[in-house]
Amino acid sequence: MNEVIKDKIILESLGPLDMYGADNENISLIKSFFPNIKITPRGTEIFLQGHQLDILSCKKLLSACFDYFNKYQILEKRDIERLYKDGFNQDELFYNFSLTGKNGNIIKPRTINQRRLVTLATDNNLLFVLGPAGTGKTYISVALALKALKEKFIKKIILTRPAVEAGENLGFLPGDLYDKLSPYMRPLYDALNDMLLEEKLNYFLEKNYIEIVPLAFMRGRTLDNAFVILDEAQNTTINQMKMFLTRMGPNSRFIICGDTSQIDLPASQKSGLTHATSILKSLNGIEIIKFDETDIIRHKLVKTIIKAYKI
């Protein structure tokens, strides 16, 4: 019988500020998920009053929050949103990953989907990562590749993207091939520059341990013993995507990142990313992960802007 009861949760492993969040935003979010429960936080205790089944669900979410904090030493509003959305399921989350970047900065996943990306990339040779701008798709993928290179699981990193202009005609670009392609490859260099000292990055590039090349240069190659990341994959054609996927060597890992809401191809061309995820989604050894607004780690206005453009 679903009777009205009283219960409480004691914060044993995290402090009130960690649980409740700045300006109580975490606990306010949890209250919004359970409008039929009276939730009263008092210091290290949370008092609950409501129907038994509702309280059971609330306690499960709170328990998932505790476990999440114990594992990652962080609990943000977006983490609680994802835990609630996924039915408090934390399978796939507990794969530890961190990379010591430039100046000793520790680079690690900051959202649940970023942690899923790490786990799925570890368990699968081909991973599609879909989602809006600012969710860290490419950044975490590059960090994974660098860690694999440093630990000698692979011999080189290849970063590529199609040279498609985002609604602007850039016209003739002066200089050599590097100069002409640099504007298209800049986001990939930015990620690497954030993780490696300039001397180390230059060494990796000079020795071809890291290649940053346009997608057109992939034709005819077999990419083995490599961690390969295709960025802005929504701007590939079907033929380009097929060409890229068939470059995979026996000991390689491919991550394909893209945002299907930002396709810059002519209207007459179908995105190779959309097509590939449609026909490959049920194949063994291939995984697809979808990020959304809750994963955005740029300025909070980015999340609001993306939501506004969906209307």
Side-chain angles (χ1 to χ4, degrees):
M1 186 167 67
N2 194 18
E3 59 180 326
V4 174
I5 63 170
K6 294 181 179 180
D7 206 338
K8 72 176 179 180
I9 293 283
I10 299 175
L11 308 182
E12 296 180 350
S13 57
L14 69 170
L17 180 59
D18 296 319
M19 180 65 229
Y20 304 149
D23 299 322
N24 288 322
E25 64 176 6
N26 288 355
I27 196 66
S28 295
L29 177 64
I30 293 172
K31 287 181 178 181
S32 72
F33 293 148
F34 301 98
N36 296 324
I37 300 177
K38 183 179 180 182
I39 301 175
T40 308
R42 291 178 184 165
T44 59
E45 296 179 324
I46 301 175
F47 295 88
L48 308 172
Q49 181 176 344
H51 289 288
Q52 189 172 11
L53 294 179
D54 292 333
I55 287 183
L56 180 61
S57 294
C58 183
K59 289 178 70 174
K60 285 182 178 179
L61 176 58
L62 290 169
S63 178
C65 291
F66 299 162
D67 291 342
Y68 187 88
F69 181 85
N70 289 337
K71 192 66 180 180
Y72 302 114
Q73 298 303 302
I74 190 171
L75 181 67
E76 297 182 349
K77 186 177 176 181
R78 59 173 166 250
D79 301 322
I80 299 172
E81 287 176 337
R82 180 65 66 183
L83 286 169
Y84 180 76
K85 183 178 179 180
D86 290 351
F88 325 143
N89 180 14
Q90 296 190 80
D91 293 342
E92 303 176 335
L93 295 184
F94 294 154
Y95 181 89
N96 283 325
F97 168 83
S98 66
L99 173 73
T100 302
K102 188 162 63 176
N103 301 322
N105 293 331
I106 302 299
I107 298 164
K108 59 183 180 180
R110 292 176 55 187
T111 72
I112 290 177
N113 268 336
Q114 286 185 2
R115 292 184 176 94
R116 284 195 173 128
L117 189 165
V118 170
T119 300
L120 292 174
T122 302
D123 296 337
N124 297 275
N125 291 101
L126 177 56
L127 176 63
F128 290 89
V129 187
L130 313 180
T135 52
K137 305 183 300 296
T138 303
Y139 192 84
I140 294 298
S141 298
V142 171
L144 279 167
L146 275 177
K147 188 174 179 69
L149 180 64
K150 288 183 174 183
E151 296 178 355
K152 299 183 179 180
F153 288 113
I154 46 98
K155 293 182 178 179
K156 72 186 315 178
I157 296 170
I158 299 174
L159 308 176
T160 185
R161 58 187 290 171
V164 176
E165 298 160 2
E168 302 173 74
N169 186 358
L170 300 180
F172 174 76
L173 292 172
D176 58 18
L177 181 63
Y178 173 84
D179 294 325
K180 294 177 190 295
L181 294 173
S182 185
Y184 298 104
M185 304 295 133
R186 190 72 257 165
L188 298 173
Y189 282 105
D190 288 345
L192 289 169
N193 280 322
D194 199 42
M195 300 177 195
L196 293 171
L197 292 171
E198 184 177 358
E199 313 86 73
K200 191 71 172 180
L201 175 56
N202 288 337
Y203 172 79
F204 281 153
L205 292 170
E206 289 169 6
K207 298 295 184 181
N208 276 329
Y209 290 124
I210 298 177
E211 285 187 55
I212 303 179
V213 293
L215 181 60
F217 285 37
M218 292 293 100
R219 188 173 297 280
R221 300 183 64 178
T222 298
L223 308 177
D224 195 19
N225 290 307
F227 201 122
V228 188
I229 300 171
L230 170 59
D231 194 29
E232 299 292 335
Q234 74 275 3
N235 288 329
T236 61
T237 65
I238 292 175
N239 286 336
Q240 284 175 328
M241 179 62 76
K242 179 182 177 183
M243 178 274 292
F244 174 75
L245 292 175
T246 54
R247 301 306 93 202
M248 180 179 281
N251 184 34
S252 59
R253 292 188 180 275
F254 277 35
I255 296 183
I256 298 168
C257 303
D259 178 3
T260 54
S261 71
Q262 293 188 344
I263 297 173
D264 299 311
L265 295 170
S268 60
Q269 287 187 315
K270 185 174 182 179
S271 167
L273 177 61
T274 302
H275 179 261
T277 53
S278 174
I279 66 171
L280 301 177
K281 60 185 178 183
S282 60
L283 299 183
N284 291 333
I286 299 174
E287 285 286 348
I288 300 171
I289 180 171
K290 295 182 180 180
F291 285 45
D292 58 30
E293 296 85 7
T294 63
D295 297 298
I296 291 173
I297 54 176
R298 291 182 184 168
H299 193 285
K300 61 183 180 182
L301 280 177
V302 175
K303 185 184 299 186
T304 305
I305 291 167
I306 288 174
K307 286 183 177 180
Y309 270 90
K310 281 188 172 183
I311 298 175

